[in-house]
Each structure stands twice: as C-alpha cells, then as structure tokens.
Amino acid sequence: MTHNQNEPTKAEVQTTELNKLPVPGQDDTEFSAEEAAEAFEQDQSSSGMQNLDR
C-alpha cells in the first residue's frame, strides 16, 4: 500500500491533541468544605433577599 502525501503519518495522528487520553485528575476542581459552606450561605441569603422584593 502506498502512502498518500495528503494523509498524516501514524506518528502525526498519535501525537495530535485531540487523540490524547485525558490525564486523571487534571480537570478536578478542589475546594474546601468551608468554601462550599460560604458559597451556599451566600446563595441562600441572596435568594432570601429576592423573595422580600416581591
């Protein structure tokens, strides 16, 4: 089988960004329980204020 010049080589295909496997934990977002509690409290207080305006 002859290699077509318009097609990428096997090495080129294997090294493309879209062909790479994801790294476990790379996109994990870490936050503390305190940060989560603060965000929850802020959300609760802002939604409570919206109900008073009605």
Side-chain angles (χ1 to χ4, degrees):
M1 181 170 167
T2 61
H3 178 68
N4 184 348
Q5 293 295 334
N6 295 331
E7 295 180 10
T9 64
K10 182 177 179 181
E12 290 170 335
V13 171
Q14 289 177 341
T15 57
T16 58
E17 190 63 33
L18 293 175
N19 200 33
K20 293 182 180 177
L21 291 173
V23 176
Q26 181 178 13
D27 295 328
D28 288 353
T29 303
E30 294 184 18
F31 56 92
S32 67
E34 291 83 11
E35 290 173 319
E38 288 174 9
F40 180 76
E41 288 172 3
Q42 289 174 357
D43 184 51
Q44 292 298 313
S45 63
S46 67
S47 64
M49 295 300 283
Q50 291 172 353
N51 290 337
L52 294 175
D53 293 338
R54 291 184 186 177

